[in-house]
Amino acid sequence: MFDLIVGTINNLLWGEGQILIYILLFTGIWFSVRLKLIQILKFKHMFSLLRTSSKCDKNDISSFQALCTGLSARVGTGNLAGVAVAISLGGSGAIFWMWMIAILGMATGFAESVLGQVYKVRDSNGEFRGGPAYYIQQGIGSKTLAIAFALCLFLGYGFTFSAMQTNTITDALNYAFEIPTFYSGIVITILAGSIILGGFKAIARFAERVVPIMSIVFVLAAVIITIINFTQVPAMLKDIFLSAFGLQEAGAGAMGAAIKNGIQRGLYSNEAGAGSVPHASACATPIPNHPVTQGYIQMLGVFFDTIVLCSCTAVIILLANVDISGEMEGIRLTQEAMTAHLAQGGVYFVAAAITLFAFTSVVANYAYAESNLHLFKLDNKIGRGIYTLLYLSMMMWGASATLKEVWDLADIALGLMTVVNVIAIIILTPTILAVTADYNKQRAENTEPEFDANKVKIQGKTEKGIWH
């Protein structure tokens, strides 16, 4: 019965119904048009904000820390195992559609991150909290829709995604070192627990230290592999583009599989439109002190996650002479590809990389769901204790679950979150445009942008004392 329910919902969202594919394409195009191709025309400015992104008071969370926290959730299983799943089920053409959804998703990610900042609140500890549930409740005025999103978030980031990340880590370690999944699951759960008990600031500091290093090492490995196999690159690119449009011998059926799997895994990797990253965005104290600053910083996160890191994994797989069966293959396909390039050392490299990538995701996922405890008045010792226990228990379950079980549950949770969040950000488009126009106006006047909610026409209300 459980498998039937899961299968039916996923088929509606991602399968024959393909509701989410149409929703995400529409949303990406909508914000790309309404924000005047901000992800392309403001590309240079997006990078320029990195110079001041690490500045903040010692008791606050900087924009750079929020970016790293967002990346630590994004950069994980989706980058190494998710790309392998996309290629194994959709062929090399899936990578093209992953790129397309990322470019469109940059505008969507900008929009939702701006809202995360505009409608953030302070919790009982004086820390900033925010995200879709908050901007739905304050901006739209719908507590019912806010609770619906929060419940979907708890299903996904609170429980399912941690199980999926743990499953990938334990599978990679078992394949590389023959470590029983149960024992590695125990160690991972204990290590994660020791970090998440320190709260969002501890998680942000952990992400700031780990994410840049592990990302640079992985990118360098992909660059070296590309240089070594440079003569094969033109044929690889040709295959990606031809397969994306069904121009290979398999035809239209292959094109459909490429689009579906490319968009599905692209979304899972960069999370644009899913409503997860606004939780990290809301916790930051941006410099300049304007919501749009964090919108640009998190838009950069979408670019780096999918256009850079997912492409690195795709290059590693597609330049390797490995058999792609057409059945669902996860992290082991990436390990086999790396082994083809680096011999047995490739298995160990990928095992180490996925352990770090997925582990940082486990830690950040906890923070996203924990942010919504405030919404239910459960941000106290008892509420956090119960949530933490359930979260760690799901990690242990994921250590020994099957690949299909955890990915199916993850797809449902991500899909439901995305539907609710997209409805909200479309409704709140006037606020996004007004806040962005305010930022652009101040920059055109050569003044440091400062946001005052009393001077900008926004929907609903913001918390007093933050932007007033």
Side-chain angles (χ1 to χ4, degrees), residues 439-457:
Y439 179 87
N440 292 335
K441 179 175 179 290
Q442 292 185 60
R443 283 195 68 231
E445 295 169 350
N446 292 319
T447 59
E448 184 84 340
E450 289 283 337
F451 183 63
D452 185 343
N454 291 320
K455 296 180 180 179
V456 180
K457 188 176 181 180

Side-chain angles (χ1 to χ4, degrees), residues 87-98:
I87 292 174
S88 65
L89 296 178
S92 60
I95 302 305
F96 173 84
W97 296 107
M98 195 175 280

Side-chain angles (χ1 to χ4, degrees), residues 130-174:
Y134 295 87
Y135 55 69
I136 289 170
Q137 184 168 328
Q138 293 176 216
I140 299 176
S142 174
K143 189 165 186 177
T144 302
L145 196 60
I147 291 174
F149 178 86
L151 292 175
C152 291
L153 183 83
F154 278 115
L155 173 63
Y157 286 83
F159 305 116
T160 308
F161 294 168
S162 63
M164 189 270 298
Q165 302 285 2
T166 307
N167 177 271
T168 302
I169 296 172
T170 55
D171 185 45
L173 293 175
N174 177 260

Side-chain angles (χ1 to χ4, degrees), residues 297-310:
I297 293 293
Q298 292 297 351
M299 185 165 71
L300 175 62
V302 177
F303 172 83
F304 185 72
D305 171 88
T306 307
I307 303 298
V308 177
L309 288 178
C310 284

Side-chain angles (χ1 to χ4, degrees), residues 142-420:
S142 174
K143 189 165 186 177
T144 302
L145 196 60
I147 291 174
F149 178 86
L151 292 175
C152 291
L153 183 83
F154 278 115
L155 173 63
Y157 286 83
F159 305 116
T160 308
F161 294 168
S162 63
M164 189 270 298
Q165 302 285 2
T166 307
N167 177 271
T168 302
I169 296 172
T170 55
D171 185 45
L173 293 175
N174 177 260
Y175 185 66
F177 306 107
E178 298 183 355
I179 300 173
T181 56
F182 177 76
Y183 295 119
S184 57
I186 291 176
V187 173
I188 294 162
T189 302
I190 292 172
L191 289 175
S194 67
I195 297 172
I196 62 181
L197 290 176
F200 203 102
K201 288 180 181 177
I203 292 168
R205 287 193 294 269
F206 172 76
E208 183 183 31
R209 294 187 185 103
V210 176
V211 171
I213 295 173
M214 70 181 190
S215 300
I216 290 170
V217 171
F218 188 70
V219 170
L220 284 175
V223 169
I224 291 170
I225 288 170
T226 303
I227 293 172
I228 293 172
N229 298 277
F230 187 73
T231 56
Q232 299 178 43
V233 172
M236 178 193 71
L237 293 174
K238 179 182 178 182
D239 186 57
I240 288 174
F241 287 107
L242 290 178
S243 298
F245 295 96
L247 299 177
Q248 302 287 56
E249 55 275 3
M255 178 181 174
I259 294 173
K260 174 185 178 297
N261 287 283
I263 291 177
Q264 189 172 0
R265 296 305 156 209
L267 170 65
Y268 182 78
S269 178
N270 63 53
E271 302 176 7
S276 55
V277 173
H279 295 92
S281 299
C283 294
T285 303
I287 296 176
N289 194 25
H290 198 288
V292 169
T293 305
Q294 197 59 33
Y296 276 115
I297 293 293
Q298 292 297 351
M299 185 165 71
L300 175 62
V302 177
F303 172 83
F304 185 72
D305 171 88
T306 307
I307 303 298
V308 177
L309 288 178
C310 284
S311 296
C312 287
T313 303
V315 163
I316 290 168
I317 294 173
L318 296 176
L319 288 179
N321 186 22
V322 294
D323 180 52
I324 299 174
S325 65
E327 300 295 325
M328 178 182 276
E329 295 185 74
I331 192 62
R332 294 195 178 190
L333 175 59
T334 309
Q335 287 179 297
E336 289 170 6
M338 191 63 91
T339 301
H341 296 297
L342 304 177
Q344 188 60 27
V347 176
Y348 304 141
F349 178 85
V350 175
I354 194 62
T355 298
L356 281 174
F357 278 34
F359 184 76
T360 56
S361 294
V362 166
V363 173
N365 289 347
Y366 171 89
Y368 285 175
E370 192 261 350
S371 292
N372 285 270
L373 291 177
H374 178 71
L375 190 73
F376 297 101
K377 310 298 181 185
L378 293 174
D379 54 335
N380 50 49
K381 287 185 177 180
I382 296 176
R384 285 195 177 96
I386 293 173
Y387 164 61
T388 302
L389 182 63
L390 290 172
Y391 187 86
L392 296 177
S393 297
M394 283 298 292
M395 287 181 64
M396 280 303 303
W397 172 78
S400 302
T402 68
L403 181 68
K404 191 174 187 306
E405 283 176 334
V406 291
W407 277 99
D408 283 351
L409 279 174
D411 286 341
I412 283 182
L414 188 67
L416 294 175
M417 280 174 56
T418 304
V419 170
V420 177

